[in-house]
Amino acid sequence: MSVGIVMLVHNAFDRAEQVARHWAAAGCPVVIHIDKAVPRRAHDAFVAALSDLKDVHFSPRKRCEWGTWGIVAASQGAAELMLSRFPKVRHVYLASGSCLPLRPVQELIDYLEDRPQTDFIESATTADVPWTVGGLDEERFTLRFPFSWRRNRYLFDRAVEMQRLLRLKRRMPRGIVPHMGSQWWCLTRRTLSAILQDPDRPSYDKFFRHVWIPDESYFQTLTRLYSSKIESRSLTLSKFDFQGKPHIFYDDHLQLLRRSDCFVARKIWPHADRLYQAFLTDSAGALKKTEPNPGKIDRIFAKAVERRTRGRAGLYMQSRFPNEDWENGVTAAPYSVFQGFAEIFEDFEHWLSRASGGRVHGHLFAPDRVHFADGQTALNGALSDNPVLRDHNASAFLTNLIWNTRGERQCFQFGPMDNQDINWRVAKDPNAHISVITGAWAVPLFRSNLDFADIRRLAAKLQKTESTHMDMLHSPYTKARVRVWTMADFIEAPMEPLQEILDEIGRPRLRRLSEAPRMVDLDGFGQFLQNLKNQGMHPYLVGDFPVARGGSADAKPSPKPYLVK
């Protein structure tokens, strides 16, 4: 009878009974506290169910609301009853009704008998506590908390604000240094008796009665006054998520719990039949005798937290979807955007597809439809070529396209006539590789049979749109890999830029390109630009394009793009 168990119970009484019988069967006396908020009928039924066990007792009931003094008072009353009724108990282990022993109880008894003077309680100063989430550190000791955080959150927050404004602070009892840690401890009779019988206990209780979440600081602080040997850790496996809420263990966590080597785990789902059957009845499958080491599974919990908070790159989740820049990667894989290439090269898409091995689309954001590669009307993930569906959320369309085609490089054409809603999304995406030939929008106008007044109007509109896009690509917020050439510079010697683009896509540079895609006939294009100038529209984004020059690929010095990123 070297270990006594104190259980705090407020629900799932069938499981609490099962665990209490397990403790008692191993020779451990059990004192149970039942929350005063539990209806009398449920209380009486639970007490009656355990009435056949002589070493199971019930302590006076307290109302236990989260974050309030009632939990400490319940622990005190149950511990006092344990020490008075069972004088042979050397360690008192605090547990809850949702705790589950993972190893044979005898191993816990033997472990504590080998450490008769050691107190196992997580106890760290507030400056050294990194795990408080969304709460208060030092202020939980220096302010008063007359209102419940859960039931009166508004009044709780206003009271804190008012005390901060008035600079009100409570004075701590002399000689104590506030410490914090897990609520679940295992203390020696000597230390626990010293805490409960201290002449100054009334002043300590008065102080901690108004501390926020005192069950994480009362015993953690006072143990430092009396213990001769503290191991600042809990023997109970208790994990918390990024919001500070406890992880709940289900049946599919069976192997994870076995790997932890811990004596007890919480919080167990009441309907986890497989866990209760495995650990309470299967002695052969219980954890073997070894030092408790919850750190062995910390990596798994860290991955779970990262997956929950960050998700997978390029895959949006409801917790981040409405929030700008909360995504874990804008898209799931690298892709290439070409602006102006399809306008100055004939059959550019098929040429690029053959040269790069990627899937090359046309203008995915064209006003008439989504121009998927090879004329497809639907793509992976049931993406339709319907422009209305696409434009309902153009950014989501692009994200879905890249996600659903992972493992295959996607390339598509873009221009000032397309839907511009994705410009910022693409510009801030590190996966985007953007190659732009400015002013190439003038080529389709040059080859059209429109009235020149309409051409001039369209040219002004397209140039303004492209200029706005270029400003975005020059922004310090741009994270994409961007190359920009003016049309006049590019057509002087297109081979080197095309080779750089293919290298960037990922094709190994085993040999230089022997031929470029066929350039459209630009005879008279220089005069066309001059006519636009004569009409008062200056196509400056095209670059310095002489009137007498058409399109050529003469061997002249390679144009150097200006790199935005």
Side-chain angles (χ1 to χ4, degrees):
M1 195 185 290
S2 62
V3 181
I5 307 300
V6 170
M7 291 179 61
L8 306 181
V9 180
H10 69 279
N11 62 6
F13 297 105
D14 56 336
R15 292 303 189 190
E17 178 190 349
Q18 189 177 358
V19 173
R21 290 185 177 277
H22 183 77
W23 289 118
C28 295
V30 180
V31 173
I32 300 175
H33 174 272
I34 304 175
D35 193 336
K36 197 171 184 178
V38 173
R40 171 59 62 178
R41 178 178 297 179
H43 168 271
D44 292 345
F46 181 56
V47 172
L50 291 171
S51 60
D52 59 309
L53 300 178
K54 65 175 183 178
D55 285 341
V56 174
H57 296 268
F58 294 86
S59 63
R61 301 172 68 189
K62 307 289 183 181
R63 185 173 295 277
C64 298
E65 182 179 355
W66 183 87
T68 64
W69 172 254
I71 298 176
V72 176
S75 303
Q76 290 175 327
E80 288 174 330
L81 182 60
M82 175 67 73
L83 296 177
S84 63
R85 292 288 182 91
F86 303 100
K88 293 184 179 179
V89 165
R90 287 205 301 262
H91 276 89
V92 176
Y93 196 113
L94 181 64
S96 74
S98 63
C99 286
L100 177 65
L102 302 183
R103 296 166 61 169
V105 178
Q106 188 59 46
E107 289 191 7
L108 174 62
I109 296 174
D110 294 341
Y111 185 85
L112 294 176
E113 283 185 347
D114 291 340
R115 300 159 179 82
Q117 304 300 322
T118 303
D119 294 291
F120 295 91
I121 182 170
E122 197 171 53
S123 175
T125 59
T126 55
D128 299 321
V129 175
W131 58 78
T132 55
V133 177
L136 307 170
D137 293 330
E138 294 88 349
E139 285 184 319
R140 67 175 62 198
F141 299 102
T142 60
L143 303 182
R144 294 180 181 272
F145 302 94
F147 303 105
S148 168
W149 184 85
R150 284 190 169 175
R151 289 185 291 106
N152 297 299
R153 181 66 181 273
Y154 177 81
L155 294 178
F156 180 96
D157 290 342
R158 301 294 81 75
V160 170
E161 291 176 0
M162 183 61 67
Q163 292 177 80
R164 288 171 174 171
L165 181 65
L166 299 177
R167 298 184 179 180
L168 299 178
K169 287 189 177 183
R170 301 173 61 208
R171 181 176 297 177
M172 294 186 189
R174 182 179 300 177
I176 70 169
V177 177
H179 284 67
M180 294 170 57
S182 170
Q183 172 189 356
W184 311 108
W185 41 256
C186 179
L187 298 178
T188 63
R189 168 181 284 272
R190 175 180 174 278
T191 299
L192 192 55
S193 297
I195 293 174
L196 297 176
Q197 298 172 11
D198 191 311
D200 293 329
R201 175 181 163 184
S203 65
Y204 296 150
D205 288 3
K206 181 180 179 180
F207 173 78
F208 280 97
R209 186 180 298 273
H210 299 288
V211 167
W212 191 45
I213 319 180
D215 54 279
E216 293 182 352
S217 58
Y218 179 83
F219 290 99
Q220 293 76 2
T221 298
L222 298 183
T223 297
R224 292 287 175 179
L225 299 179
Y226 310 110
S227 178
S228 59
K229 184 177 182 182
I230 292 178
E231 285 206 18
S232 184
R233 61 188 174 101
S234 175
L235 297 180
T236 299
L237 174 64
S238 181
K239 294 293 184 180
F240 295 85
D241 64 14
F242 74 103
Q243 293 178 317
K245 298 178 181 179
H247 278 289
I248 298 177
F249 294 102
Y250 299 91
D251 281 337
D252 50 357
H253 291 114
L254 176 59
Q255 298 304 321
L256 179 73
L257 292 175
R258 280 179 170 159
R259 290 165 56 188
S260 71
D261 297 329
C262 291
F263 290 110
V264 179
R266 74 172 307 269
K267 193 175 188 179
I268 309 298
W269 186 47
H271 303 290
D273 297 332
R274 188 182 177 195
L275 295 184
Y276 282 94
Q277 181 178 9
F279 291 112
L280 297 186
T281 63
D282 183 14
S283 58
L287 298 182
K288 303 308 176 186
K289 192 171 184 179
T290 184
E291 183 71 22
N293 185 14
K296 291 170 60 176
I297 61 175
D298 282 347
R299 179 178 57 86
I300 298 174
F301 281 91
K303 281 188 174 181
V305 171
E306 182 179 11
R307 177 61 58 86
R308 182 177 177 186
T309 55
R310 290 180 57 77
R312 287 173 283 179
L315 184 63
Y316 290 71
M317 56 197 292
Q318 61 85 18
S319 62
R320 298 193 315 263
F321 181 74
N323 302 293
E324 184 71 18
D325 296 331
W326 276 33
E327 65 274 351
N328 176 19
V330 180
T331 51
Y335 60 96
S336 299
V337 182
F338 296 93
Q339 183 164 327
F341 288 78
E343 284 72 21
I344 67 172
F345 291 113
E346 294 180 354
D347 202 24
F348 174 75
E349 297 157 23
H350 288 91
W351 174 87
L352 182 61
S353 179
R354 293 191 303 269
S356 67
R359 186 182 301 195
V360 182
H361 305 280
H363 285 260
L364 292 180
F365 296 90
D368 58 333
R369 60 181 289 264
V370 181
H371 294 268
F372 288 125
D374 303 321
Q376 293 176 275
T377 58
L379 204 66
N380 307 34
L383 293 177
S384 169
D385 68 345
N386 188 313
V388 177
L389 295 176
R390 176 202 65 199
D391 293 343
H392 176 70
N393 191 331
S395 295
F397 175 86
L398 175 63
T399 302
N400 286 336
L401 172 71
I402 304 303
W403 174 263
N404 291 318
T405 57
R406 300 185 307 281
E408 181 182 43
R409 181 68 173 236
Q410 301 298 303
C411 307
F412 65 90
Q413 317 305 311
F414 192 74
M417 291 190 67
D418 295 338
N419 185 336
Q420 303 293 303
D421 290 348
I422 66 162
N423 285 357
W424 267 121
R425 175 66 63 179
V426 174
K428 294 193 291 185
D429 185 3
N431 278 329
H433 293 197
I434 307 174
S435 301
V436 181
I437 303 174
T438 62
W441 45 263
V443 176
L445 296 180
F446 163 66
R447 304 179 71 188
S448 71
N449 293 320
L450 296 175
D451 182 79
F452 200 79
D454 293 333
I455 290 177
R456 182 199 178 284
R457 178 179 55 81
L458 285 173
K461 179 181 178 181
L462 295 176
Q463 179 161 260
K464 182 178 180 181
T465 301
E466 187 170 71
S467 177
T468 301
H469 188 199
M470 292 304 101
D471 289 341
M472 292 181 184
L473 297 183
H474 283 84
S475 166
Y477 300 106
T478 294
K479 299 295 186 295
R481 181 76 167 92
V482 181
R483 283 189 172 91
V484 180
W485 301 266
T486 65
M487 179 179 168
D489 286 339
F490 186 89
I491 65 173
E492 287 287 347
M495 301 297 286
E496 188 66 23
L498 291 174
Q499 181 72 64
E500 290 179 5
I501 289 169
L502 292 179
D503 292 342
E504 186 179 65
I505 290 176
R507 300 287 286 183
R509 191 169 183 168
L510 300 178
R511 60 184 177 83
R512 293 186 62 84
L513 285 173
S514 59
E515 61 177 347
R518 183 180 179 84
M519 191 175 294
V520 300
D521 185 5
L522 294 177
D523 286 342
F525 184 68
Q527 184 59 54
F528 168 77
L529 297 178
Q530 184 60 48
N531 292 340
L532 286 176
K533 294 178 183 179
N534 295 342
Q535 293 294 323
M537 190 273 158
H538 181 57
Y540 64 92
L541 289 178
V542 179
D544 186 12
F545 206 105
V547 174
R549 188 175 71 183
S552 69
D554 299 334
K556 295 183 179 181
S558 172
K560 297 299 182 183
Y562 53 91
L563 300 182
V564 179
K565 284 285 178 182

